[in-house]
Amino acid sequence: MSVLDNSIEQLVQQVSAGEVTASQCVDESISQLKAQNPTLNAFVSDCEEAARAEAAAMDAKIAAGENVGPLAGVPIAIKDGICTKGQRTTAGSKMLENFVPPYDATIVQRLRAAGAICIGKANLDEFAMGSSTENSFFGVTKNPWSADCVAGGSSGGSAAAVAAGISPASIGSDTGGSIRQPASFCGITGVKPTYGRVSRYGLIAFASSLDQIGPMARSAKDCAILMNVLSGHDAKDSTSARNDVPDFVADCDQNLKGLRIGICKQYFENEPDGSGLNENVRSGVMAAIEQLKELGAETVEIDLPHTRYAVPTYYVVAPCEASSNLSRFDGVRYTSREQAKDLIGMYSKTRKVNFGDEVIRRILLGTYSLSSGYDHELYKKASQVRRLIKNDYDAAFEKVDLIAGPTVPTTAFKIGEHAKDPLAMYLADVFTASANLAGVPGISLPCGFSADDGLPIGLQLQANMFGESTLFRAAHQYQTQTDWHLKRPQSS
Amino acid sequence: MTTIDREGLKFSDAKLIIGLEVHVQLKTESKLFCGCSTQFGSNPNTQTCPVCTGMPGTLPVLNEKALALSIKTGLALNCEIARYTKWDRKNYFYPDLPKGYQISQFDKPVCGEGFVEVKIPKSDEPARKIRLERAHLEEDAGKSVHDESGKGGVSKIDLNRTGTPLLEIVTKPDIRSAEEAKAFLTELKLILGYVDVSDCNMQEGSLRCDANVNLHFTDGEEAVATPIVEIKNLNSFRAAERAITHEARRQFKEFRETGETIDDAPKQTRGWDDSAQKTTPQREKELSADYRYFPDPDLIAVVISEQEIEDAKSSLGDLPAALRETLQSEYGLNDYDSDVIVSAGREMVDYFRAVADGSGKPGKPNGKMASNWVGQEVMRYLNENAATIEAYPVAADAMAELLARVTAGEVDQTRGKEVLAEMLASGCDVQEAFDKLGIVKVDSSDLDALCQQLIEENPAVIEEIKGGKVKAVGSLIGKARKINPNVNPGVLRESILKIIGL
């Protein structure tokens, strides 16, 4: 048994007590990475050298009796859209193939200060645009449960790394479901925090008003440990919240007596647009809700009438912001500059050569949506619908503490399945995108396996703004009674 | 097509319509959205960080000082201050724009409508209100440095200026002449200096101006306007005045030739070629003016409290217009003299007032005399030494003492100026200068004796005076001062006339 099979809590205890060295953890993690990455392609790059040096330094500290942080010796995978000082950060794009940031993202600083050790940069859809990690310039990440299937996206590499046991924890970012959906596909636990809870400084922006960094790990409690480190105001991020940060780990231990769980009827309806809920997923999620009831929660039917508009709204807002955020990649700076007759030609050619199809598609979508004055155009309309979606949540959270439902309508799909039909792929975001539009937090946790394909099913819980404690409480209590989160894919 | 008879049109029939856009660099230590220095003239790319160079992953954070200075400026320009303001992105591609967009303000500028009262110097026209449309905060772009050897070498980018806070002040098309445009800019610069929000140094680009110009013709019912031309980057007041004058003539000529009106042509951009003294067409940055503005999602909106506005108000101090009024009503100065003092800056006004108050009587400042001395003696010295009033060696209280003693007749104006020269030369105080120059008050018996002597020695002059040429007494004053330099000419004159019975 690997030291990495322990929970993060146990691992940190062992490292702090000197029973296990940080170097052992890193060795184990790096050797797993090297063994499995050729198959999984979960990592764009590894940080072997730096990781070993950091581990040795930490072991020296422990030997000297110094205090080490709450993540002492925990090997961690960081999504390659998050800047790491001196370590190549590509955002999954040819455009940033050789970009080495001169600074650490705030969350990377916090993780390092807490004793976590970055073992590699995890693969992702280019600039986090996608739901399958098929859009990475560095190739698709495979699902550890089935090599034919996607790991999900855009944090597919981060999800696969944890599911395959390469690292006990990873960091993803979630713009429309990019943590929760791959967590669901890979059978792990992933959290999209409240917008503003975690600093975005250093996250290569996809859609600034939707992006949020969050933890991915095997269990809710492991995620809570990470969230304690990640959360809190950052003066470098104007949108970072000043709210107090509760002790999420402590909050895991509260029982579920009196907890009101909202069941949104729209989540279980079959939509004519094909976003229908797979029957196996439905039954898995229903069983999980029953389990929560047994733990003392009660269910309340709620209405989120604008749910069906979440995907179209998301696919206006996100590309608009992306089209602007990505204009800095113009060939004047960073990796590559194409030769052309004039300046506009250089921009066009550089962007054409260095961006993938999905990124170009979304930039065009966003540029179109923003053009000719935004006053009465798509962006403003989408912002208004966004407000309605938020209002739905506000009304629902008057009545309930949590909203439960599926994370994704299906299990992981086959690699290449949606290659010809990007719109079908977009519909995979139907249950996740609205949380980003509203800014509320959500967690995805494994709640079973599909009878058809044997792949993991994800339960999504959503809470009110800054209500992560409630998410952790329910998810952890559920995980004390179930062992779905402890299952491992055969291959690893 | 217009029915206006273009052939018969004279330039004087044209009504010149001008609107200005003035970019003012705010006096902050650091940039608008990061902590980098805004100091001018450093080596290229030494004042940059991941934020202002738009590195992937970085985020802007508002410099509160820049916002406070904008509020202060807005209040000084009689603007409505927004209680809610936000940030928008103006998207366009340019090599010196590292993010591919500029953070600016689109529909909620920090300062709304306001005005500046402008009087054209040496004209009889009364002051006019030039209305302001808005003033918004934005970040500056960088600078492209092109190889001008003609060999077509490399172009380099200096991002030191990127992110420098600019307040863009936009007037309504209220300005009617090039002189008025210059007067507006002069007054604007003066106000900005008074409230200490900008260095307004045009050479260093901390004040830059674009002018929108066209001509209107009316013929009974019909009104026709020429296409609007925006003249970019006017980097001196004189350039602004000349460029507008030239552009007006050019548009008149073009209209006579082509009859092209505002309905036929979009706004054009032209530059001012100072060596050729003409405006020339400029290539646009982008073909389309669609900047795809949208709210910057990286920056939270700003709510400005009443307290912040009150604080800014109380930090304003008296503004130039109010001070001119005060110098006229309380110190008895005329239009011209008050403008000379006020235009020299707040410190000069303070100096002047201290001199006038200190050399006068309570409630009755010595305004006229102080204005003469400050306006001539002091300013001449400052001009000759390229100094500001803060560096003037004679403090206001010393100057006031000197003027009080001149007023009291202890010394005449001419000798008084010698005293001042001595004070400037040696840094001594008034009494020491008096002592050095041997100035003592001439008592009345000495004065009488001196008069007697002069009368006896100059019978011809006395005859002349008695014959009605009172002016001739002047020649005696000159002689008297050779005998005793401390003699007060006025007193001597009176005495002589009295003795000879006139």
Side-chain angles (χ1 to χ4, degrees):
Chain A
M1 181 177 150
S2 159
V3 291
L4 303 181
D5 288 336
N6 290 313
S7 73
I8 289 177
E9 200 171 25
Q10 290 166 328
L11 187 66
V12 171
Q13 264 169 15
Q14 290 172 336
V15 170
S16 304
E19 294 162 19
V20 172
T21 64
S23 296
Q24 274 175 274
C25 299
V26 165
D27 286 348
E28 183 68 36
S29 191
I30 292 284
S31 70
Q32 284 293 329
L33 189 159
K34 290 194 164 166
Q36 296 197 55
N37 205 48
T39 326
L40 293 178
N41 197 32
F43 288 84
V44 173
S45 60
D46 68 56
C47 307
E48 181 176 358
E49 210 173 311
R52 290 192 196 282
E54 283 169 44
M58 173 155 300
D59 289 331
K61 270 188 173 182
I62 291 165
E66 283 181 49
N67 269 340
V68 282
L71 292 175
V74 177
I76 195 160
I78 292 178
K79 186 173 182 174
D80 206 29
I82 295 171
C83 290
T84 40
K85 186 175 179 174
Q87 176 72 31
R88 195 161 68 105
T89 302
T90 67
S93 182
K94 179 169 164 50
M95 193 64 96
L96 290 175
E97 198 177 351
N98 300 309
F99 174 59
V100 179
Y103 68 97
D104 269 336
T106 296
I107 64 110
V108 173
Q109 282 179 356
R110 289 187 181 183
L111 289 167
R112 290 195 203 284
I117 297 170
C118 176
I119 51 118
K121 301 299 294 288
N123 200 5
L124 70 158
D125 282 300
E126 184 177 6
F127 289 106
M129 295 179 192
S131 307
S132 65
T133 317
E134 289 167 293
N135 300 325
S136 171
F137 173 68
F138 301 95
V140 62
T141 293
K142 302 205 172 119
N143 192 313
W145 293 91
S146 164
D148 299 339
C149 291
V150 300
S154 62
S155 309
S158 301
V162 172
I166 297 171
S167 67
S170 64
I171 299 296
S173 70
D174 189 316
T175 307
S178 285
I179 286 174
R180 290 160 290 161
Q181 185 255 26
S184 174
F185 280 5
C186 290
I188 64 162
T189 306
V191 179
K192 181 236 139 354
T194 307
Y195 186 76
R197 178 70 99 183
V198 175
S199 169
R200 289 186 295 115
Y201 188 83
L203 168 66
I204 297 178
F206 162 16
S208 309
S209 75
L210 304 164
D211 293 343
Q212 190 60 202
I213 289 173
M216 303 172 87
R218 283 187 298 251
S219 70
K221 194 160 198 178
D222 283 358
C223 286
I225 294 170
L226 288 160
M227 271 297 284
N228 275 0
V229 170
L230 299 174
S231 303
H233 179 70
D234 177 16
K236 291 203 197 91
D237 177 357
S238 152
T239 62
S240 159
R242 290 173 189 276
N243 297 44
D244 288 339
V245 180
D247 183 345
F248 297 122
V249 179
D251 292 338
C252 285
D253 293 332
Q254 277 183 275
N255 68 41
L256 302 191
K257 295 264 158 26
L259 189 82
R260 299 163 303 167
I261 295 181
I263 307 299
C264 168
K265 61 180 184 212
Q266 284 83 7
Y267 288 180
F268 296 92
E269 278 167 3
N270 272 317
E271 294 284 334
D273 61 11
S275 61
L277 182 59
N278 175 286
E279 270 313 309
N280 289 309
V281 174
R282 180 201 298 271
S283 58
V285 168
M286 282 306 190
I289 291 169
E290 284 308 310
Q291 184 78 48
L292 289 168
K293 280 162 90 170
E294 277 174 34
L295 283 160
E298 54 178 288
T299 56
V300 179
E301 187 166 307
I302 55 155
D303 202 13
L304 298 172
H306 296 94
T307 297
R308 60 156 66 221
Y309 302 110
V311 169
T313 302
Y314 173 81
Y315 279 97
V316 173
V317 173
C320 283
E321 294 185 9
S323 71
S324 174
N325 282 333
L326 268 57
S327 27
R328 72 194 67 201
F329 306 111
D330 59 4
V332 178
R333 291 155 209 90
Y334 315 111
T335 297
S336 143
R337 183 183 304 157
E338 294 296 315
Q339 298 298 315
K341 284 200 301 284
D342 58 10
L343 193 56
I344 295 292
M346 187 280 283
Y347 291 143
S348 308
K349 213 169 155 194
T350 299
R351 289 163 69 82
K352 171 82 184 137
V353 167
N354 289 286
F355 282 144
D357 289 348
E358 184 61 25
V359 169
I360 289 176
R361 185 179 296 126
R362 294 200 197 189
I363 288 173
L364 290 176
L365 211 62
T367 304
Y368 173 78
S369 301
L370 285 177
S371 55
S372 0
Y374 73 88
D375 233 20
H376 301 287
E377 300 300 325
L378 288 160
Y379 185 82
K380 187 161 186 188
K381 190 64 88 188
S383 302
Q384 288 166 342
V385 179
R386 186 174 179 177
R387 172 41 66 182
L388 296 176
I389 290 169
K390 174 78 169 82
N391 291 347
D392 282 359
Y393 276 105
D394 289 346
F397 288 121
E398 297 272 310
K399 293 196 281 187
V400 298
D401 304 301
L402 285 180
I403 296 168
T407 308
V408 197
T410 63
T411 52
F413 47 84
K414 293 264 192 303
I415 291 169
E417 191 177 329
H418 293 313
K420 295 247 153 57
D421 187 1
L423 286 177
M425 182 96 89
Y426 294 173
L427 291 171
D429 301 334
V430 62
F431 300 134
T432 47
S434 48
N436 299 78
L437 291 166
V440 302
I443 190 169
S444 176
L445 60 159
C447 67
F449 293 85
S450 166
D452 288 346
D453 53 21
L455 291 173
I457 297 167
L459 165 73
Q460 178 177 229
L461 302 175
Q462 298 173 85
N464 206 349
M465 297 285 285
F466 301 101
E468 286 90 344
S469 284
T470 317
L471 294 181
F472 286 125
R473 173 186 167 196
H476 176 70
Q477 293 302 320
Y478 174 80
Q479 288 178 342
T480 59
Q481 301 298 310
T482 56
D483 62 357
W484 305 115
H485 64 292
L486 300 175
K487 304 276 189 211
R488 289 285 176 277
Q490 288 299 316
S491 57
S492 64
Chain B
M1 209 55 191
T2 166
T3 58
I4 284 185
D5 163 28
R6 303 206 310 268
E7 289 296 304
L9 218 50
K10 293 193 299 293
F11 183 65
S12 57
D13 297 332
K15 187 176 174 191
L16 182 52
I17 307 292
I18 304 161
L20 297 178
E21 292 168 21
V22 185
H23 285 87
V24 174
Q25 178 179 334
L26 296 174
K27 211 170 171 177
T28 55
E29 301 279 309
S30 57
K31 294 184 177 180
L32 187 50
F33 298 113
C34 70
C36 288
S37 167
T38 52
Q39 202 194 314
F40 179 80
S42 306
N43 287 332
N45 296 311
T46 54
Q47 287 170 180
T48 61
C49 72
V51 174
C52 62
T53 57
M55 283 253 178
T58 57
L59 296 170
V61 175
L62 176 65
N63 179 346
E64 297 286 344
K65 175 83 185 290
L67 182 70
L69 291 181
S70 309
I71 295 170
K72 200 172 165 187
T73 310
L75 290 169
L77 302 178
N78 308 293
C79 292
E80 279 293 314
I81 304 299
R83 295 327 193 244
Y84 170 92
T85 182
K86 69 176 178 67
W87 309 99
D88 300 280
R89 291 185 184 176
K90 180 180 179 178
N91 291 282
Y92 65 94
F93 286 106
Y94 210 65
D96 63 18
L97 190 71
K99 296 189 293 291
Y101 59 83
Q102 179 187 24
I103 304 175
S104 181
Q105 299 191 304
F106 180 68
D107 57 346
K108 302 271 180 208
V110 59
C111 306
E113 294 192 2
F115 65 87
V116 177
E117 282 214 40
V118 173
K119 187 166 179 346
I120 302 174
K122 293 174 188 159
S123 96
D124 298 330
E125 297 286 311
R128 286 208 317 128
K129 273 186 186 174
I130 306 300
R131 292 170 303 156
L132 303 177
E133 179 87 39
R134 59 187 281 162
H136 64 260
L137 249 179
E138 62 184 27
E139 56 175 355
D140 205 350
K143 194 169 79 173
S144 301
V145 187
H146 302 295
D147 185 349
E148 288 178 2
S149 67
K151 292 174 194 154
V154 292
S155 288
K156 296 177 178 175
I157 311 285
D158 178 5
L159 295 179
N160 277 353
R161 209 171 64 190
T162 308
T164 298
L166 298 179
L167 190 69
E168 181 174 338
I169 300 165
V170 184
T171 77
K172 299 210 179 210
D174 279 3
I175 298 169
R176 292 290 168 270
S177 69
E179 299 76 47
E180 194 169 56
K182 188 182 174 197
F184 170 84
L185 291 169
T186 308
E187 184 68 6
L188 179 67
K189 182 178 170 186
L190 188 64
I191 294 170
L192 298 173
Y194 264 80
V195 295
D196 197 29
V197 295
S198 173
D199 293 328
C200 292
N201 186 331
M202 296 189 87
Q203 283 77 46
E204 296 181 2
S206 57
L207 195 152
R208 281 174 267 160
C209 172
D210 304 334
N212 286 283
V213 177
N214 76 343
L215 301 177
H216 285 209
F217 300 100
T218 45
D219 174 21
E221 311 88 81
E222 203 191 7
V224 169
T226 56
I228 296 175
V229 166
E230 182 175 10
I231 317 171
K232 294 293 245 187
N233 286 327
L234 297 165
N235 57 10
S236 75
F237 292 171
R238 206 169 69 155
E241 192 180 15
R242 289 184 172 180
I244 292 167
T245 304
H246 169 270
E247 178 59 24
R249 287 278 175 188
R250 192 196 65 79
Q251 285 187 22
F252 178 73
K253 197 161 161 266
E254 186 162 300
F255 179 70
R256 284 243 304 217
E257 283 165 12
T258 67
E260 194 179 57
T261 73
I262 194 165
D263 302 323
D264 311 323
K267 184 162 142 177
Q268 305 165 28
T269 304
R270 297 177 75 89
W272 173 244
D273 182 340
D274 209 53
S275 51
Q277 292 284 306
K278 61 179 190 180
T279 63
T280 52
Q282 264 190 348
R283 214 168 58 111
E284 298 284 338
K285 279 191 176 177
E286 277 227 304
L287 296 174
S288 145
D290 181 4
Y291 290 116
R292 303 185 306 280
Y293 278 102
F294 78 108
D296 191 324
D298 286 333
L299 284 160
I300 49 168
V302 180
V303 174
I304 298 169
S305 69
E306 298 305 317
Q307 188 59 49
E308 281 171 274
I309 294 173
E310 282 311 310
D311 289 350
K313 257 185 202 157
S314 62
S315 74
L316 282 180
D318 286 331
L319 295 173
L323 285 169
R324 281 188 199 103
E325 178 55 37
T326 304
L327 296 198
Q328 289 168 28
S329 63
E330 290 177 25
Y331 292 84
L333 303 196
N334 61 24
D335 255 13
Y336 179 81
D337 289 337
S338 62
D339 193 51
V340 167
I341 302 282
V342 171
S343 295
R346 189 188 291 282
E347 285 75 17
M348 183 62 88
V349 174
D350 291 344
Y351 186 87
F352 163 78
R353 290 174 74 162
V355 172
D357 292 340
S359 61
K361 297 193 180 72
K364 212 170 173 301
N366 200 358
K368 281 270 171 49
M369 188 176 178
S371 157
N372 286 339
W373 280 66
V374 171
Q376 289 162 30
E377 301 306 312
V378 175
M379 289 198 184
R380 185 171 58 236
Y381 177 93
L382 298 179
N383 281 338
E384 283 166 1
N385 293 281
T388 58
I389 188 67
E390 293 98 314
Y392 190 63
V394 177
D397 57 348
M399 181 67 84
E401 184 190 341
L402 172 58
L403 295 201
R405 290 172 80 160
V406 171
T407 310
E410 285 181 42
V411 62
D412 65 86
Q413 296 251 7
T414 312
R415 270 278 35 218
K417 284 169 190 169
E418 289 171 26
V419 171
L420 180 59
E422 182 59 36
M423 291 164 74
L424 286 169
S426 67
C428 65
D429 66 19
V430 182
Q431 188 54 52
E432 282 165 357
F434 269 58
D435 293 346
K436 278 190 184 177
L437 296 173
I439 299 173
V440 286
K441 196 167 182 199
V442 180
D443 72 30
S444 55
S445 61
D446 288 348
L447 185 72
D448 286 349
L450 180 61
C451 288
Q452 282 302 336
Q453 188 191 340
L454 289 168
I455 291 166
E456 281 161 25
E457 288 174 1
N458 299 284
V461 179
I462 299 300
E463 283 312 306
E464 241 184 293
I465 297 168
K466 284 183 173 169
K469 248 185 117 181
V470 181
K471 267 191 177 169
V473 92
S475 70
L476 298 182
I477 292 170
K479 291 178 199 296
R481 283 170 68 94
K482 276 187 186 141
I483 300 164
N484 182 350
N486 295 322
V487 168
N488 183 314
V491 178
L492 182 89
R493 185 177 186 272
E494 291 302 309
S495 297
I496 289 175
L497 293 178
K498 200 172 144 197
I499 291 168
I500 62 175
L502 279 178

